[in-house]
Amino acid sequence: MRRVLRKQKSVYALSLTLCLIGIIALLGTLLKTYPQISSSTDPFSTFLSLLWTEKITISQAFEFRLIYLVILGDVMLVSGVVLWLLSRQWLVVPGKTVWYQCPFCKKKWRAVGDKALVHCPYCNQLVHPLIAEK
Ligand SMILES: [Zn+2]
């Protein structure tokens, strides 16, 4: 039980970190392009073209276009949210046994967790099981 909790906390922390990096990357992009956008008559297309033309130089040898920063930010944000959702699910799981009922053959069986899709052990169909009483 404790191990599950610790694992979950680290995943939660990781997801927050990823979200934070994503937000910083996207904010950085906005800050970098804001002066040109605010003086433009067509902010959206200016923003899009800036993504492909503006470059960020970290050192002489390492520079990249803004678009990569946006992609990086999106990827970080999405994986952060996914991890966060996973870490929430793990909280529900710990060893709870429920009775599933197959909607086709109406047979019941016991299993751990709450899965949305399972193979019925009797008729071997992939089913959305009904949760029967414990
Ligand atoms: Zn069945």
Side-chain angles (χ1 to χ4, degrees), residues 102-107 109 120-125 127:
C102 174
F104 297 109
C105 64
K106 305 290 178 203
K107 288 193 169 133
W109 70 97
C120 171
Y122 300 102
C123 60
N124 209 26
Q125 294 209 61
V127 296

Side-chain angles (χ1 to χ4, degrees), residues 3-109:
R3 254 185 78 193
V4 174
L5 223 71
R6 255 177 62 199
K7 196 175 175 187
Q8 205 214 342
K9 261 188 186 167
S10 63
V11 172
Y12 183 67
L14 181 69
S15 73
L16 278 186
T17 313
L18 287 177
C19 282
L20 214 66
I21 294 172
I23 289 167
I24 289 170
L26 293 177
L27 270 182
T29 311
L30 274 182
L31 281 178
K32 176 93 176 154
T33 52
Y34 185 72
Q36 285 106 311
I37 291 176
S38 59
S39 61
S40 162
T41 49
D42 188 358
F44 188 66
S45 60
T46 308
F47 178 68
L48 284 184
S49 62
L50 278 173
L51 288 184
W52 292 100
T53 52
E54 264 316 275
K55 282 177 183 165
I56 289 179
T57 311
I58 287 176
S59 70
Q60 291 284 52
F62 193 67
E63 64 166 27
F64 56 95
R65 286 170 210 266
L66 265 188
I67 187 76
Y68 297 126
L69 194 64
V70 173
I71 292 170
L72 177 87
D74 285 341
V75 169
M76 290 288 175
L77 212 59
V78 167
S79 41
V81 168
V82 167
L83 273 181
W84 181 70
L85 287 176
L86 283 178
S87 75
R88 277 167 54 95
Q89 267 182 1
W90 288 354
L91 225 173
V92 186
V93 165
K96 201 176 137 204
T97 320
V98 291
W99 281 95
Y100 286 136
Q101 188 178 20
C102 174
F104 297 109
C105 64
K106 305 290 178 203
K107 288 193 169 133
K108 292 180 187 178
W109 70 97

